[in-house]
mmCIF file with all atom_site columns, all heavy atoms in Angstrom:
data_model
loop_
_atom_site.group_PDB
_atom_site.id
_atom_site.type_symbol
_atom_site.label_atom_id
_atom_site.label_alt_id
_atom_site.label_comp_id
_atom_site.label_asym_id
_atom_site.label_entity_id
_atom_site.label_seq_id
_atom_site.pdbx_PDB_ins_code
_atom_site.Cartn_x
_atom_site.Cartn_y
_atom_site.Cartn_z
_atom_site.occupancy
_atom_site.B_iso_or_equiv
_atom_site.pdbx_formal_charge
_atom_site.auth_seq_id
_atom_site.auth_comp_id
_atom_site.auth_asym_id
_atom_site.auth_atom_id
_atom_site.pdbx_PDB_model_num
ATOM 1  N N   . ALA V 1 57 ? 61.527 -0.408 47.066 1.00 0.00 ? 57 ALA V N   1
ATOM 2  C CA  . ALA V 1 57 ? 62.902 0.075  47.243 1.00 0.00 ? 57 ALA V CA  1
ATOM 3  C C   . ALA V 1 57 ? 63.914 -0.939 46.720 1.00 0.00 ? 57 ALA V C   1
ATOM 4  O O   . ALA V 1 57 ? 65.004 -0.576 46.291 1.00 0.00 ? 57 ALA V O   1
ATOM 5  C CB  . ALA V 1 57 ? 63.159 0.364  48.724 1.00 0.00 ? 57 ALA V CB  1
ATOM 6  N N   . GLY V 1 58 ? 63.536 -2.223 46.743 1.00 0.00 ? 58 GLY V N   1
ATOM 7  C CA  . GLY V 1 58 ? 64.484 -3.247 46.329 1.00 0.00 ? 58 GLY V CA  1
ATOM 8  C C   . GLY V 1 58 ? 64.703 -3.310 44.833 1.00 0.00 ? 58 GLY V C   1
ATOM 9  O O   . GLY V 1 58 ? 65.723 -3.847 44.378 1.00 0.00 ? 58 GLY V O   1
ATOM 10 N N   . VAL V 1 59 ? 63.776 -2.751 44.029 1.00 0.00 ? 59 VAL V N   1
ATOM 11 C CA  . VAL V 1 59 ? 63.917 -2.861 42.584 1.00 0.00 ? 59 VAL V CA  1
ATOM 12 C C   . VAL V 1 59 ? 65.156 -2.125 42.095 1.00 0.00 ? 59 VAL V C   1
ATOM 13 O O   . VAL V 1 59 ? 65.802 -2.530 41.124 1.00 0.00 ? 59 VAL V O   1
ATOM 14 C CB  . VAL V 1 59 ? 62.639 -2.335 41.883 1.00 0.00 ? 59 VAL V CB  1
ATOM 15 C CG1 . VAL V 1 59 ? 62.515 -0.828 42.030 1.00 0.00 ? 59 VAL V CG1 1
ATOM 16 C CG2 . VAL V 1 59 ? 62.649 -2.718 40.409 1.00 0.00 ? 59 VAL V CG2 1
ATOM 17 N N   . VAL V 1 60 ? 65.531 -1.048 42.771 1.00 0.00 ? 60 VAL V N   1
ATOM 18 C CA  . VAL V 1 60 ? 66.730 -0.304 42.367 1.00 0.00 ? 60 VAL V CA  1
ATOM 19 C C   . VAL V 1 60 ? 67.981 -1.140 42.636 1.00 0.00 ? 60 VAL V C   1
ATOM 20 O O   . VAL V 1 60 ? 68.890 -1.196 41.804 1.00 0.00 ? 60 VAL V O   1
ATOM 21 C CB  . VAL V 1 60 ? 66.799 1.048  43.105 1.00 0.00 ? 60 VAL V CB  1
ATOM 22 C CG1 . VAL V 1 60 ? 68.100 1.784  42.755 1.00 0.00 ? 60 VAL V CG1 1
ATOM 23 C CG2 . VAL V 1 60 ? 65.594 1.907  42.759 1.00 0.00 ? 60 VAL V CG2 1
ATOM 24 N N   . ALA V 1 61 ? 68.022 -1.773 43.800 1.00 0.00 ? 61 ALA V N   1
ATOM 25 C CA  . ALA V 1 61 ? 69.173 -2.621 44.113 1.00 0.00 ? 61 ALA V CA  1
ATOM 26 C C   . ALA V 1 61 ? 69.298 -3.772 43.129 1.00 0.00 ? 61 ALA V C   1
ATOM 27 O O   . ALA V 1 61 ? 70.399 -4.103 42.661 1.00 0.00 ? 61 ALA V O   1
ATOM 28 C CB  . ALA V 1 61 ? 69.067 -3.146 45.549 1.00 0.00 ? 61 ALA V CB  1
ATOM 29 N N   . LEU V 1 62 ? 68.172 -4.397 42.792 1.00 0.00 ? 62 LEU V N   1
ATOM 30 C CA  . LEU V 1 62 ? 68.202 -5.496 41.822 1.00 0.00 ? 62 LEU V CA  1
ATOM 31 C C   . LEU V 1 62 ? 68.648 -5.004 40.453 1.00 0.00 ? 62 LEU V C   1
ATOM 32 O O   . LEU V 1 62 ? 69.407 -5.686 39.751 1.00 0.00 ? 62 LEU V O   1
ATOM 33 C CB  . LEU V 1 62 ? 66.818 -6.127 41.721 1.00 0.00 ? 62 LEU V CB  1
ATOM 34 C CG  . LEU V 1 62 ? 66.336 -6.905 42.944 1.00 0.00 ? 62 LEU V CG  1
ATOM 35 C CD1 . LEU V 1 62 ? 64.899 -7.368 42.751 1.00 0.00 ? 62 LEU V CD1 1
ATOM 36 C CD2 . LEU V 1 62 ? 67.244 -8.101 43.212 1.00 0.00 ? 62 LEU V CD2 1
ATOM 37 N N   . ALA V 1 63 ? 68.171 -3.821 40.071 1.00 0.00 ? 63 ALA V N   1
ATOM 38 C CA  . ALA V 1 63 ? 68.577 -3.268 38.779 1.00 0.00 ? 63 ALA V CA  1
ATOM 39 C C   . ALA V 1 63 ? 70.078 -2.998 38.739 1.00 0.00 ? 63 ALA V C   1
ATOM 40 O O   . ALA V 1 63 ? 70.737 -3.210 37.710 1.00 0.00 ? 63 ALA V O   1
ATOM 41 C CB  . ALA V 1 63 ? 67.807 -1.982 38.499 1.00 0.00 ? 63 ALA V CB  1
ATOM 42 N N   . MET V 1 64 ? 70.638 -2.545 39.848 1.00 0.00 ? 64 MET V N   1
ATOM 43 C CA  . MET V 1 64 ? 72.078 -2.290 39.900 1.00 0.00 ? 64 MET V CA  1
ATOM 44 C C   . MET V 1 64 ? 72.865 -3.594 39.766 1.00 0.00 ? 64 MET V C   1
ATOM 45 O O   . MET V 1 64 ? 73.890 -3.645 39.072 1.00 0.00 ? 64 MET V O   1
ATOM 46 C CB  . MET V 1 64 ? 72.430 -1.572 41.199 1.00 0.00 ? 64 MET V CB  1
ATOM 47 C CG  . MET V 1 64 ? 71.880 -0.160 41.293 1.00 0.00 ? 64 MET V CG  1
ATOM 48 S SD  . MET V 1 64 ? 72.305 0.665  42.853 1.00 0.00 ? 64 MET V SD  1
ATOM 49 C CE  . MET V 1 64 ? 74.079 0.808  42.670 1.00 0.00 ? 64 MET V CE  1
ATOM 50 N N   . ILE V 1 65 ? 72.391 -4.652 40.427 1.00 0.00 ? 65 ILE V N   1
ATOM 51 C CA  . ILE V 1 65 ? 73.071 -5.948 40.316 1.00 0.00 ? 65 ILE V CA  1
ATOM 52 C C   . ILE V 1 65 ? 73.039 -6.447 38.877 1.00 0.00 ? 65 ILE V C   1
ATOM 53 O O   . ILE V 1 65 ? 74.058 -6.883 38.328 1.00 0.00 ? 65 ILE V O   1
ATOM 54 C CB  . ILE V 1 65 ? 72.421 -6.962 41.262 1.00 0.00 ? 65 ILE V CB  1
ATOM 55 C CG1 . ILE V 1 65 ? 72.653 -6.554 42.722 1.00 0.00 ? 65 ILE V CG1 1
ATOM 56 C CG2 . ILE V 1 65 ? 72.969 -8.365 41.014 1.00 0.00 ? 65 ILE V CG2 1
ATOM 57 C CD1 . ILE V 1 65 ? 71.913 -7.414 43.725 1.00 0.00 ? 65 ILE V CD1 1
ATOM 58 N N   . VAL V 1 66 ? 71.873 -6.376 38.263 1.00 0.00 ? 66 VAL V N   1
ATOM 59 C CA  . VAL V 1 66 ? 71.747 -6.822 36.875 1.00 0.00 ? 66 VAL V CA  1
ATOM 60 C C   . VAL V 1 66 ? 72.625 -5.969 35.960 1.00 0.00 ? 66 VAL V C   1
ATOM 61 O O   . VAL V 1 66 ? 73.260 -6.480 35.024 1.00 0.00 ? 66 VAL V O   1
ATOM 62 C CB  . VAL V 1 66 ? 70.272 -6.764 36.434 1.00 0.00 ? 66 VAL V CB  1
ATOM 63 C CG1 . VAL V 1 66 ? 70.142 -6.997 34.938 1.00 0.00 ? 66 VAL V CG1 1
ATOM 64 C CG2 . VAL V 1 66 ? 69.458 -7.793 37.199 1.00 0.00 ? 66 VAL V CG2 1
#
Side-chain angles (χ1 to χ4, degrees):
V59 70
V60 176
L62 291 175
M64 293 180 66
I65 294 173
V66 171

